[in-house]
Amino acid sequence: MTTIFLNSNNFPSTTKEDEQKLSSSLGDILAKDYNGNFFATLGQYQRILADNNQRERWSEIQSKLVTLFKCGTPEVINGPMIGIPVSLRDSDYFKKLAESKGEERSVIANIEWMATAWNATFADTGLWMGKTFEPVSRETVAQKTANDEQMLAVYDVQSTRIGRNFFREPTDPNALQAISLPALTELWKLKARPMTPEASGFDGELSAKNLLKEKAIPYSKTGGYFLCNPGSSVVPEMAGKQVYQLNYRWPDLGPTYPMTRLVDELVRIDEGIYLGQLVYATKHYSLGEFTLPGGQVVSLGDSYPHDSLLENIKRFVPIDIPNDNNHYGYQNNGFFLMIDPDNAKQFYADDAFPQLRPKPGEIGYSELGYDQLPPKAATETIPTADARVQNWTDITDWNNGWKQNQALKQKFTTLILEESPKGDTGVAAMLNKGESVLQMLQRFSSDISAQSNPEDELEHFEKLNRLFRCGVAPTVENGIFQGHGERGYNVRVDSTEFGDWYGEKTQTTGFDYYHGATLNLHCGFSETFCPDPKDSPTEEHIFPTRLSDLLDDQSMPNVLNIMWHNIGKYIFPWAGKSYEKISARKLSMFLDESDDLARRYPKRVNELKMHPASAPHYALVKKNAHHHWDSSGVYAEHLKSGSWDAGMSDEDKAFWQQEASHWIDGNNIQDKRVIAADPLMNIVDMNYRVPDASLQAVSAAGPSPFARQGYIFLGVGERESILPMNNGEQKKQVFQFHYRFPMIGGPTPIGLCLDEVVEIADGLYLGQLIYSTAIQVPFQSSVDPAEFKYQLFGYFLLLDDAWQYHRLAIGLDTLD
């Protein structure tokens, strides 16, 4: 089955079997996906690939795009084209290793960081909006390629073009989007959109006809130059397929990284529709050029082009020798679409790519007649509760409907507070009439971002600091987590499955879990480098004097907070924390800091050793063995008789039985987005695991199911806060999450973490993300906490199911 522009014969298959397979794949697409409108078909593909929650379908859609590209027709392109990225793929630097094991891509490449980050930021805003292809003189080509013989030999006034890209400033941008185009303008030396053929500074020919067609494309900046010619694909898997090739890599085009690696390839797949293949070099590329003070230009990495032996032979031997493409390790890094502006209305249609439609005030809005269309009625999607939530099944509007339910109204508007060690007052008055505690926190979070994003100072977090100091620490009662609300727990179940803990049959008991949300982050190192917020960093802290002078009186943006809210939360699938009872045997192992840990727990220590990400924990094992510390750990007295399985006295076992009633076994939980990265997570986190099916079933009945557990910790109540900012004459009582003991293990930098939480409302917990900033000081429990220079790195929330329904409705740190 074929179309005018799609035919399996367009690909040079090496065998009849491959040809038939390609023809069959194309036939399936045309029969099952194509309904006479490729705009709609490709729009559906793009929506799947732009949705991080549908990543299990990405490989399927990517394969379909490969088929369409292979079957497409090579064609010279003239003039402007509307563009949209359809898929992005990480470069696979371990591709050969993966293929040797029968895998298409390596585990690391399958994480697809680039696609995930793009989807979370620019997939639907149209930062990149297309390209234009303009006639170029032979003299200009000679200048841009340093008189490259091969390029000049294929120059043809009818097919050689010079091109540039279009960039759009997103309307109503978030913080990251707002800085993206100004940053690219400076980095890539973008120019303002040319409005007349007389505009200067362009190497191609600006024609009135093309500028008129560009009015269907809402862009404001242009740049990122390339030279085009018909040619053979440089991707080895494309077997020399004929394409229209766009090369950004010529140094005299002025490419900046990553364009120094980039070659685009285009084919036509329908009337006015071109499918492009993003191709990046994975070897022998430049990281960019830098001009030294004396004027000398230095290139980091390998310059382009590469004069290989084969290329030199071809200059003298008049035979067809294949290109030495493997020298650069070219790989497919995704696909994009190019659309003739004559088809703009079809491209921007509701069933195609309406998200890129010109907005009011942009070029293209009135030119295409969108100012004449009646506005659409707004629609609202409201999360609904399920029968699991007792007495709340009548709630259909978790944004405001809870106000009609007296039990929920009481829960959502009542703070749980105690006297602050620092005498903080007026905390209860921070809650406005008619708002929930969670809506108050959302208001605080927005205010903090507005203040700290341009200037990351801890003083902007003062409302949360005060609230935390007035919160009440949850407890552990008989080994089970207990809050201070009406019930004091979210769920409380025992697993029906049994497992093994280093030779002991185990069963999860007293299980409870809470959903997680991040409020605001902060660079806690700043308080260590410069303890007095009124001072500027100086050389006695960390910065050289010259750099200190540059930083003086300059505000430092809250990069951590910006990156989390604009990218991080879409990439990292953290979903909250779970708690369960811990056995005395397990607790005694986790808190053990003896000098013979490798002898006591050989299997556990070997796992630490075999997981490189747990190197800091394994380093503590070795330091204990070499008696790095002058004193013993806090629990050494009850471990000196031996481990639980080898020599521990009955008296010490009785101690650990009692001690275990005050601790919980904790896990961070992850949502289903992490499943695709299972192979990598098993390598990174030695404690990563699939939860018991009965526990997953419990979470599946709630608002946000979890799929994996890991990043384990020990939870303990009735502890004094390690942060001086929380303490006055009295010490603040908190609940602590311990990650630092050597036998706990876990990926870097979790070994520097010691979080604290308090309860601020029934089932709602405010947490402080705390890290040691003295990263050179190894952990031991006997060391004064002040030595580790613990600092606040931000605030997070733990929420029971009712709060989670409310959170999803108001959009606090959600993916929507």
Side-chain angles (χ1 to χ4, degrees):
M1 190 173 184
T2 63
T3 69
I4 297 176
F5 301 104
L6 289 171
N7 193 313
S8 59
N9 291 330
N10 287 332
F11 184 74
S13 298
T14 55
T15 67
K16 191 68 175 178
E17 181 183 357
D18 287 342
E19 182 180 345
Q20 291 175 346
K21 184 177 180 180
L22 180 61
S23 179
S24 177
S25 297
L26 177 62
D28 284 345
I29 293 173
L30 296 177
K32 298 176 182 178
D33 296 353
Y34 178 59
N35 57 0
N37 181 354
F38 253 124
F39 292 100
T41 301
L42 295 166
Q44 178 63 23
Y45 287 175
Q46 189 271 339
R47 280 186 285 277
I48 294 171
L49 292 166
D51 185 353
N52 289 339
N53 293 320
Q54 296 194 63
R55 61 186 306 138
E56 69 277 2
R57 295 195 62 191
W58 288 1
S59 179
E60 166 203 349
I61 303 301
Q62 181 77 14
S63 295
K64 292 181 178 183
L65 292 172
V66 169
T67 294
L68 291 175
F69 188 87
K70 286 182 175 180
C71 297
T73 301
E75 185 175 301
V76 174
I77 303 179
N78 291 289
M81 295 282 161
I82 310 170
I84 181 173
V86 177
S87 75
L88 294 175
R89 307 195 89 188
D90 294 343
S91 293
D92 192 349
Y93 293 96
F94 303 96
K95 185 176 179 65
K96 288 186 177 180
L97 178 62
E99 289 176 342
S100 69
K101 297 182 177 181
E103 302 291 338
E104 181 183 350
R105 286 169 67 77
S106 68
V107 171
I108 294 177
N110 271 330
I111 298 174
E112 303 294 7
W113 291 113
M114 188 163 63
T116 306
W118 177 265
N119 292 345
T121 51
F122 298 109
D124 292 327
T125 63
L127 176 66
W128 175 74
M129 283 299 297
K131 307 174 187 287
T132 190
F133 301 80
E134 298 164 338
V136 62
S137 67
R138 193 174 191 278
E139 291 72 24
T140 299
V141 171
Q143 175 193 347
K144 297 300 182 184
T145 63
N147 292 302
D148 183 83
E149 294 180 13
Q150 294 184 58
M151 190 65 179
L152 292 177
V154 298
Y155 172 82
D156 186 334
V157 69
Q158 300 299 323
S159 60
T160 303
R161 299 286 179 265
I162 193 168
R164 51 188 169 84
N165 288 270
F166 302 147
F167 298 94
R168 178 187 201 176
E169 185 170 0
T171 57
D172 191 24
N174 59 35
L176 181 64
Q177 292 167 349
I179 65 173
S180 59
L181 190 56
L184 288 181
T185 299
E186 181 66 26
L187 182 64
W188 291 355
K189 298 178 175 58
L190 303 182
K191 295 183 175 65
R193 174 178 186 150
M195 302 303 292
T196 68
E198 291 73 35
S200 60
F202 296 92
D203 293 310
E205 178 184 323
L206 298 179
S207 71
K209 177 183 177 181
N210 285 343
L211 293 178
L212 182 63
K213 292 187 70 172
E214 286 185 13
K215 290 192 175 181
I217 310 173
Y219 80 93
S220 58
K221 297 290 184 179
T222 185
Y225 295 90
F226 51 86
L227 287 172
C228 323
N229 270 308
S232 300
S233 175
V234 297
V235 177
E237 291 81 0
M238 286 297 161
K241 174 181 170 55
Q242 293 303 295
V243 296
Y244 194 56
Q245 201 166 79
L246 290 55
N247 193 331
Y248 293 77
R249 303 191 65 193
W250 299 100
D252 288 328
L253 286 173
T256 54
Y257 188 87
M259 287 186 290
T260 53
R261 302 169 55 190
L262 179 60
V263 176
D264 287 341
E265 298 179 344
L266 287 163
V267 293
R268 187 173 183 175
I269 63 172
D270 200 7
E271 190 65 46
I273 303 178
Y274 301 82
L275 182 61
Q277 176 177 222
L278 278 167
V279 179
Y280 278 103
T282 60
K283 300 183 295 184
H284 305 295
Y285 54 80
S286 170
L287 294 174
E289 292 184 342
F290 300 87
T291 303
L292 299 179
Q296 182 181 1
V297 177
V298 176
S299 177
L300 295 181
D302 292 351
S303 61
Y304 179 87
H306 162 70
D307 287 332
S308 70
L309 176 61
L310 289 177
E311 287 166 343
N312 282 317
I313 292 174
K314 284 194 291 184
R315 296 179 182 180
F316 305 102
V317 182
I319 59 175
D320 185 20
I321 301 177
N323 289 328
D324 184 19
N325 292 327
N326 287 332
H327 174 79
Y328 292 116
Y330 284 120
Q331 291 183 9
N332 172 286
N333 286 80
F335 291 96
F336 60 95
L337 288 177
M338 304 295 296
I339 310 297
D340 190 314
D342 290 342
N343 303 101
K345 283 291 194 69
Q346 294 169 272
F347 176 75
Y348 296 132
D350 289 343
D351 60 354
F353 302 94
Q355 72 272 25
L356 298 187
R357 189 179 298 160
K359 305 294 191 301
E362 290 187 312
I363 292 177
Y365 184 73
S366 60
E367 286 83 354
L368 293 173
Y370 292 118
D371 55 340
Q372 305 299 319
L373 297 178
K376 289 187 176 181
T379 59
E380 181 179 8
T381 301
I382 301 171
T384 57
D386 56 46
R388 176 188 179 191
V389 187
Q390 296 180 355
N391 301 320
W392 303 334
T393 53
D394 59 325
I395 305 298
T396 57
D397 176 7
W398 281 88
N399 196 335
N400 293 296
W402 55 268
K403 296 177 182 178
Q404 278 67 57
N405 183 299
Q406 289 305 309
L408 276 179
K409 183 176 181 182
Q410 176 75 13
K411 179 184 177 78
F412 283 0
T413 60
T414 303
L415 288 162
I416 294 177
L417 302 175
E418 65 181 12
E419 184 177 349
S420 165
K422 301 193 77 168
D424 296 297
T425 60
V427 171
M430 295 192 299
L431 182 64
N432 291 337
K433 184 178 180 179
E435 73 176 352
S436 68
V437 176
L438 202 60
Q439 288 169 327
M440 176 189 74
L441 292 169
Q442 187 177 41
R443 172 164 53 87
F444 289 174
S445 181
S446 296
D447 291 344
I448 291 169
S449 292
Q451 296 177 72
S452 75
N453 283 357
E455 185 179 19
D456 186 12
E457 299 291 344
L458 192 56
E459 63 184 17
H460 300 313
F461 289 70
E462 190 54 30
K463 288 182 179 179
L464 292 180
N465 300 341
R466 292 166 57 199
L467 182 59
F468 185 90
R469 289 192 290 263
C470 292
V472 182
T475 61
V476 177
E477 297 182 3
N478 298 318
I480 297 177
F481 181 82
Q482 180 66 45
H484 299 280
E486 183 179 354
R487 294 196 310 173
Y489 62 91
N490 183 37
V491 300
R492 190 166 287 176
V493 297
D494 297 339
S495 172
T496 59
E497 294 87 356
F498 288 86
D500 175 83
W501 176 260
Y502 298 104
E504 181 183 66
K505 187 178 182 180
T506 61
Q507 182 183 23
T508 299
T509 59
F511 178 83
D512 195 4
Y513 81 99
Y514 291 84
H515 310 277
T518 300
L519 288 176
N520 297 88
L521 299 179
H522 163 70
C523 183
F525 284 103
S526 57
E527 279 72 47
T528 297
F529 299 155
C530 186
D532 187 345
K534 296 181 180 179
D535 286 346
S536 297
T538 57
E539 63 274 14
E540 60 264 24
H541 296 129
I542 190 170
F543 297 111
T545 304
R546 181 171 297 178
L547 183 55
S548 174
D549 292 340
L550 293 174
L551 293 174
D552 192 24
D553 297 326
Q554 300 292 321
S555 61
M556 299 295 289
N558 192 341
V559 176
L560 286 178
N561 196 58
I562 293 171
M563 291 298 291
W564 172 260
H565 287 290
N566 291 288
I567 296 180
K569 69 180 180 181
Y570 300 98
I571 298 176
F572 298 103
W574 179 67
K577 297 181 186 289
S578 66
Y579 313 134
E580 58 196 70
K581 275 190 172 183
I582 190 168
S583 70
R585 177 176 180 263
K586 189 174 186 179
L587 181 65
S588 65
M589 176 197 285
F590 277 169
L591 295 180
D592 200 338
E593 298 173 287
S594 303
D595 58 7
D596 59 344
L597 293 174
R599 182 183 63 80
R600 292 183 177 217
Y601 318 104
K603 185 176 179 181
R604 182 74 180 178
V605 171
N606 187 59
E607 288 177 350
L608 285 170
K609 182 179 180 180
M610 297 305 293
H611 285 77
S614 294
H617 286 93
Y618 182 61
L620 296 180
V621 173
K622 293 189 290 184
K623 288 184 182 298
N624 279 300
H626 291 92
H627 303 96
H628 177 83
W629 295 273
D630 296 330
S631 55
S632 301
V634 171
Y635 299 97
E637 183 67 23
H638 301 285
L639 291 160
K640 64 182 181 181
S641 61
S643 67
W644 186 276
D645 294 335
M648 183 178 287
S649 67
D650 291 341
E651 292 80 5
D652 286 335
K653 286 188 176 181
F655 167 82
W656 287 110
Q657 292 282 9
Q658 178 61 30
E659 189 67 14
S661 67
H662 302 297
W663 294 77
I664 59 167
D665 189 359
N667 281 268
N668 283 277
I669 54 179
Q670 292 97 32
D671 62 39
K672 66 180 183 180
R673 291 176 295 160
V674 79
I675 295 176
D678 271 351
L680 177 63
M681 293 302 298
N682 283 317
I683 294 172
V684 170
D685 183 4
M686 59 181 286
N687 302 302
Y688 185 74
R689 63 191 174 104
V690 178
D692 292 344
S694 58
L695 302 181
Q696 282 188 295
V698 170
S699 81
S704 302
F706 62 83
R708 297 291 185 267
Q709 292 174 289
Y711 294 90
I712 67 172
F713 58 86
L714 295 173
V716 61
E718 301 177 347
R719 287 297 191 267
E720 295 178 347
S721 176
I722 58 173
L723 283 185
M725 62 176 284
N726 291 333
N727 302 318
E729 292 185 5
Q730 301 293 324
K731 299 288 188 179
K732 176 63 185 174
Q733 293 291 302
V734 297
F735 191 94
Q736 290 182 337
F737 299 150
H738 287 260
Y739 296 86
R740 306 205 67 189
F741 286 88
M743 299 304 291
I744 291 178
T748 306
I750 203 69
L752 298 170
C753 188
L754 202 167
D755 294 341
E756 299 181 344
V757 299
V758 293
E759 191 170 13
I760 59 173
D762 183 357
L764 181 63
Y765 301 86
L766 181 62
Q768 289 184 329
L769 182 62
I770 301 170
Y771 280 89
S772 165
T773 59
I775 57 180
Q776 77 284 0
V777 181
F779 174 80
Q780 206 224 26
S781 59
S782 67
V783 178
D784 184 347
E787 295 293 318
F788 301 119
K789 297 182 180 179
Y790 287 114
Q791 299 292 355
L792 177 68
F793 276 75
Y795 280 95
F796 62 91
L797 293 175
L798 298 174
L799 315 90
D800 69 14
D801 283 349
W803 287 109
Q804 178 70 355
Y805 280 115
H806 185 37
R807 172 200 171 200
L808 296 175
I810 67 175
L812 173 60
D813 192 45
T814 61
L815 301 181
D816 298 328

